[in-house]
Amino acid sequence: MSDFTSDFWSWYVAGLTLVSILACLVLLWVSGTAKVKATADNTTGHVWDEDLREMNNPLPRWWVYLFIITVVFSLLYGLLYPMYGKYPGMLNWTSGSRYQNEVAKRAEEIAPLYAQFNGMEPQQLAGNAQAMAIGERLFMNNCATCHGSDARGARSFPNLTDGDWLWGGDPATIKATIISGRMGVMPPMAAAVGSPEDVRNVAHFVLSLSGSPHDSVRAALGRPAFAACAACHGADGKGNTAMGAPNLSDKVWLHGWGEEAVVRAITKGFNNQMPAQADKLNADQIHVLSAYVWGMSNKASPAPN
Amino acid sequence: MTDRKATIPIVAVPADDEVMVSLYAAREKIQPRSVSGLFSRWRWIMVWLTQIVFYGLPWLQWHARQAVLFDLEARRFYIFNLVLYPQDFIYLTGLLVISALALFLFTAVAGRLWCGFACPQTVYTEIFLWIEKRVEGDRSARLKLDRAGLSAEKLAKRSLKHALWLVFSLWTGFTFVGYFTPIRELGALSMAAALGPWQWFWIFFYGLATYGNAGFLREQVCKYMCPYARFQSAMFDRDTMIVTYDEQRGEPRGARSKKADPTALGLGACVDCTLCVQVCPTGIDIRNGLQYECIGCAACIDVCDTVMDKVGYPRGLIRFSTQNGIEQGWGTRQMLRRALRPRVLVYTAILGVITIAVGLSLFLRTPLKVDVIRDRGALARMVEEGRIENVFRLQIMNATELPQRYAIQVSGLPGIALDTPAEVEVLSTEVRAVAVRVQIPPDAASSGSHPIRFDIRATGDEGIHVSEKAVFLVPR
């Protein structure tokens, strides 16, 4: 119980709880020792509405013992579980720890299933229907939010099915990407390139690399300034998987296609981030998931089902 | 109403016979005498019916699985050919509503029928009483045994009785858990004493509850604990069939010789044999009129009829009748006519409508559920040749017990088509999320949102078909 803003409220709640329980006992004692009048015909002598008489129907005595048992139960419960304000209870039970325990228990139950996958190469796993069904569910629950249910991504979120990889597409690299995430950083390059006009020229040169529609005069003017970009994207603009620099000479446009998009990219740069999944998924799950992701762009048969 | 005072006066009745009593009193043990007769036979028929169902159901098999199994962990309820999911929770609501309305209806017509003939408390008490009678004898023998000091014989009888009760109770607990864990496996596991902690707990808890309720608490459950007992009496009216004592015919009561003419002696038909009190499981005297303890079990009717037969008077001194009927001396037909009063007709109508509705919806239920979820990442994309693409996730739940292939069709816009495989396979009782890409030709629709439909059909069974609405977005 960490949501008490001050000790006072913790004590207040604990005191109120304890007083309420004790008040139950007091009430029981009072009613248990009380004596009421009863007449020989087993009525209490109370009469309502001229002729309605109250009958004396005492509760059975075990009712009292049961009541005492409930009081003892709640006192014990409060000792074992968090009930009195901040006091965490002797069992240190929290709903969070209970959840963790259940997750651990479940993981233990399905460990044998993952054990058989662990010995398999990703290439083998990609052909294993059961593993791929698990991979599909893992993907849908953990990756589809950004990469899309069909894994084709969206603007600034890479497509995982087209065989074009920023950081490399072999199973080991995919696994590394999932485990520790990636930072796709491109600094704003406008200063290095020059005036806005120069930036536009470079953009046209970049578009020319993939044969996209461009102004060839502007592209020729922009060619020298591309040296600033070549450090990461390579002299021929083929990209570099060591730093996640995209290939500029293909038809894949991660951050949007066309003159304006490229100009914006050069001017503002990017800070693209894929979060690490190691703390969300365990090694077994990541093993299956990497095989599933690898399989999406390395299909032996085109039908995914 | 002018003479009524605003406050209700509590008049203390001056009495010289006053005693001071506690609010609590020790329970007086009731040893009901066994009884035979028409209603007793009916009760035993109900005992057999309900218990054959309860103990028998878990042992039935249905296509290599238990016919009735409530698998809480997998969140699947198997009931013969039905498989129910958490999404079908409404049927449980329907069942509870039907049960409640049926209780209202039966109670309005014939009083506490449920209590006297079908309630588990009554049924198990009846079974336990039968065991008790076999071991210790009937009422008088048991009373004698209660009073007797400890002896080898008493110890032997008591131990045997409790042993039998406990075996029966544990079997009941075992059966109860067998509804949630496959009972055949449960049997094997318990033989090896390899049950899980919760299985042990529930077997013993339910067993102990049976043992305690039917062996010891008995009528106290009805008197002090049961909520139904309280509000069933609120559903009585003057035309409800209840167990009644015909005071006009019976009083003044008194013993007499069989040959004497009661009218000459100035006596009524009641011979004051007190058998009706001895057989009563709640220990009341029905001759004081209707009391809240009366569970309508009609044991007193059975026993009084046998006494009336013996002394040669007509039956029915204690009988099922209505308050109006007893007071006005009506016959059966007049009472039956009053049975069709508005309250009963309304209960019947509502009960009928709800039962038919629940039954129909169960019968017409499609064992397939589909949710269409739009991908949040990309609302719409332009793909090759300027086609516009939307991505949806179909959560397909196969509620049958066979793997199914489903054909997905999409309609609602000119030239709309799927770019993903039109057939998917979902294993039995599984949920699968399938990504589907829907494309339309360029200029097929204006920018904005357009309603479309997904039709999902099982390829093997045309009857399994779900149609879901969705929205297709076209960017500016």
Side-chain angles (χ1 to χ4, degrees):
Chain A
M1 289 296 286
S2 54
D3 32 14
F4 281 105
T5 48
S6 76
D7 271 357
F8 166 77
W9 290 114
S10 171
W11 283 108
Y12 176 80
V13 168
L16 211 58
T17 312
L18 203 58
V19 166
S20 307
I21 293 175
L22 294 178
C24 289
L25 267 183
V26 171
L27 178 72
L28 184 70
W29 184 80
V30 168
S31 75
T33 52
K35 288 271 187 269
V36 291
K37 290 196 187 85
T39 52
D41 61 353
N42 202 30
T43 56
T44 59
H46 297 166
V47 181
W48 286 272
D49 290 1
E50 281 100 49
D51 62 349
L52 192 62
R53 291 184 298 148
E54 184 184 36
M55 195 173 237
N56 168 37
N57 265 323
L59 275 174
R61 201 171 297 289
W62 54 260
W63 200 266
V64 180
Y65 307 138
L66 204 63
F67 206 119
I68 292 169
I69 289 171
T70 59
V71 170
V72 172
F73 176 86
S74 29
L75 289 170
L76 281 176
Y77 192 92
L79 282 177
L80 295 173
Y81 291 97
M83 183 166 92
Y84 302 115
K86 270 187 184 168
Y87 176 64
M90 283 151 90
L91 298 180
N92 273 318
W93 181 96
T94 64
S95 52
S97 70
R98 181 176 165 185
Y99 165 74
Q100 298 295 357
N101 289 343
E102 286 192 13
V103 169
K105 193 169 146 236
R106 184 77 186 136
E108 210 174 293
E109 280 171 16
I110 51 181
L113 183 66
Y114 279 112
Q116 69 182 54
F117 299 146
N118 261 338
M120 292 163 85
E121 287 301 310
Q123 288 82 343
Q124 276 177 282
L125 272 183
N128 179 320
Q130 195 185 15
M132 287 304 96
I134 294 173
E136 181 183 59
R137 281 191 285 270
L138 285 170
F139 185 88
M140 286 285 184
N141 290 330
N142 296 287
C143 319
T145 314
C146 299
H147 292 284
S149 293
D150 60 346
R152 294 202 173 185
R155 188 167 176 154
S156 299
F157 296 101
N159 181 341
L160 305 177
T161 63
D162 58 2
D164 179 52
W165 295 96
L166 292 168
W167 302 87
D170 58 290
T173 311
I174 294 175
K175 195 182 238 185
T177 303
I178 296 173
I179 290 172
S180 42
R182 294 290 184 188
M183 296 283 286
V185 180
M186 165 168 164
M189 298 298 289
V193 172
S195 69
E197 205 52 26
D198 294 334
V199 168
R200 198 159 288 277
N201 292 341
V202 173
H204 277 275
F205 176 72
V206 169
L207 288 168
S208 75
L209 289 174
S210 54
S212 306
H214 61 283
D215 181 328
S216 50
V217 178
R218 276 179 174 279
L221 288 170
R223 179 187 283 272
F226 186 74
C229 317
C232 296
H233 291 281
D236 50 3
K238 289 260 192 269
N240 179 352
T241 52
M243 44 182 54
N247 181 347
L248 303 177
S249 65
D250 62 12
K251 297 276 183 204
V252 178
W253 294 93
L254 178 59
H255 298 287
W257 175 81
E259 188 187 353
E260 289 314 316
V262 180
V263 168
R264 193 176 332 117
I266 298 168
T267 319
K268 297 195 167 162
F270 291 109
N271 203 341
N272 229 29
Q273 195 189 102
M274 160 155 169
Q277 303 296 314
D279 52 349
K280 286 205 192 72
L281 304 169
N282 62 36
D284 294 340
Q285 291 171 316
I286 290 175
H287 183 66
V288 172
L289 186 55
S290 348
Y292 176 78
V293 172
W294 178 85
M296 281 193 289
S297 52
N298 295 277
K299 284 216 189 310
S301 58
N305 298 299
Chain B
M1 298 301 283
T2 46
D3 59 340
R4 284 291 299 270
K5 293 192 183 71
T7 54
I8 296 170
I10 297 178
V11 187
V13 178
D16 45 13
D17 53 3
E18 270 182 9
V19 281
M20 297 302 281
V21 294
S22 164
L23 291 169
Y24 300 94
R27 175 213 177 193
E28 284 166 42
K29 196 169 171 187
I30 294 169
Q31 293 285 22
R33 191 191 182 97
S34 67
V35 62
S36 62
L38 172 67
F39 296 106
S40 163
R41 193 165 322 127
W42 270 110
R43 187 164 29 261
W44 274 107
I45 289 171
M46 288 306 290
V47 168
W48 279 105
L49 277 181
T50 51
Q51 299 317 294
I52 283 173
V53 169
F54 176 74
Y55 293 103
L57 263 189
W59 296 98
L60 295 181
Q61 291 291 98
W62 185 273
H63 300 316
R65 67 157 166 85
Q66 193 167 310
V68 177
L69 179 69
F70 306 121
D71 190 342
L72 294 176
E73 206 163 351
R75 286 175 295 180
R76 304 273 185 275
F77 281 14
Y78 302 96
I79 303 165
F80 293 101
N81 63 340
L82 274 181
V83 186
L84 295 178
Y85 294 75
Q87 286 86 338
D88 297 311
F89 201 79
I90 186 78
Y91 292 116
L92 180 61
T93 317
L95 183 69
L96 293 175
V97 170
I98 289 171
S99 306
L101 280 167
L103 187 78
F104 297 169
L105 177 64
F106 289 139
T107 309
V109 173
R112 292 172 66 173
L113 274 188
W114 165 257
C115 299
F117 295 91
C119 174
Q121 181 63 28
T122 298
V123 164
Y124 286 117
T125 302
E126 199 77 6
I127 295 170
F128 272 51
L129 270 170
W130 182 83
I131 294 174
E132 200 167 39
K133 189 181 128 192
R134 291 273 132 185
V135 176
E136 299 181 349
D138 206 357
R139 175 183 152 94
S140 49
R142 290 205 302 271
L143 287 172
K144 209 179 282 168
L145 194 68
D146 282 348
R147 282 193 301 267
L150 193 60
S151 64
E153 187 205 14
K154 181 170 178 172
L155 195 67
K157 278 186 176 172
R158 283 282 148 97
S159 321
L160 178 61
K161 178 179 83 175
H162 285 286
L164 290 171
W165 279 1
L166 279 169
V167 168
F168 183 84
S169 302
L170 283 175
W171 184 246
T172 309
F174 174 79
T175 304
F176 175 76
V177 175
Y179 277 91
F180 301 91
T181 314
I183 198 162
R184 289 155 199 255
E185 289 172 33
L186 195 71
L189 285 175
S190 52
M191 286 300 142
L195 297 181
W198 282 111
Q199 289 167 328
W200 282 122
F201 171 81
W202 281 109
I203 287 179
F204 281 106
F205 179 85
Y206 203 83
L208 192 71
T210 308
Y211 177 69
N213 283 338
F216 298 90
L217 290 173
R218 291 193 180 169
E219 82 290 344
Q220 300 179 91
V221 173
C222 316
K223 280 163 72 172
Y224 305 118
M225 304 182 199
C226 178
Y228 294 118
R230 300 273 167 236
F231 73 75
Q232 285 196 75
S233 43
M235 285 181 267
F236 285 15
D237 54 31
R238 300 189 64 83
D239 293 307
T240 300
M241 292 293 248
I242 47 175
V243 177
T244 56
Y245 165 70
D246 194 339
E247 211 171 318
Q248 283 158 323
R249 211 191 110 188
E251 297 300 313
R253 64 184 77 159
R256 79 290 310 265
S257 102
K258 223 173 126 170
K259 298 181 192 72
D261 177 17
T263 41
L265 292 170
L267 288 171
C270 175
V271 298
D272 205 10
C273 65
T274 69
L275 280 180
C276 56
V277 182
Q278 295 179 32
V279 297
C280 180
T282 60
I284 57 169
D285 186 345
I286 193 67
R287 293 172 300 177
N288 297 337
L290 178 65
Q291 291 144 75
Y292 84 95
E293 294 96 333
C294 172
I295 57 167
C297 72
C300 50
I301 299 181
D302 281 338
V303 80
C304 188
D305 281 348
T306 55
V307 172
M308 291 294 112
D309 288 352
K310 263 197 202 118
V311 296
Y313 301 159
R315 290 179 160 210
L317 175 60
I318 302 178
R319 63 179 183 271
F320 264 113
S321 171
T322 68
Q323 199 130 33
N324 277 335
I326 277 283
E327 282 167 18
Q328 335 237 353
W330 285 349
T332 321
R333 189 185 304 180
Q334 280 161 299
M335 286 192 286
L336 279 179
R337 202 178 303 143
R338 299 293 290 261
L340 297 176
R341 55 196 183 278
R343 158 186 225 162
V344 175
L345 295 176
V346 169
Y347 283 153
T348 313
I350 300 176
L351 179 64
V353 167
I354 292 181
T355 310
I356 288 167
V358 170
L360 262 183
S361 82
L362 258 182
F363 181 70
L364 298 173
R365 175 175 167 269
T366 310
L368 164 66
K369 289 186 169 49
V370 179
D371 285 321
V372 180
I373 302 163
R374 161 178 294 286
D375 253 28
R376 297 183 303 176
L379 293 178
R381 298 181 192 140
M382 298 278 282
V383 291
E384 302 88 23
E385 301 149 27
R387 293 167 71 83
I388 297 156
E389 178 178 277
N390 277 206
V391 179
F392 299 89
R393 183 191 297 192
L394 301 186
Q395 300 267 25
I396 301 179
M397 180 195 241
N398 174 8
T400 67
E401 291 183 81
L402 301 164
Q404 298 276 5
R405 292 190 69 77
Y406 296 107
I408 306 171
Q409 283 176 316
V410 62
S411 58
L413 285 171
I416 193 164
L418 286 176
D419 185 44
T420 42
E423 277 200 7
V424 293
E425 185 165 14
V426 185
L427 297 177
S428 72
T429 65
E430 280 210 343
V431 186
R432 185 170 168 200
V434 181
V436 294
R437 284 189 298 275
V438 181
Q439 295 183 349
I440 58 169
D443 313 322
S446 57
S447 66
S449 64
H450 303 273
I452 57 167
R453 296 196 80 78
F454 284 101
D455 282 286
I456 295 94
R457 260 171 233 283
T459 52
D461 183 347
E462 278 303 304
I464 303 178
H465 160 237
V466 165
S467 182
E468 278 289 330
K469 289 200 288 260
V471 169
F472 191 94
L473 295 179
V474 180
R476 281 185 216 291

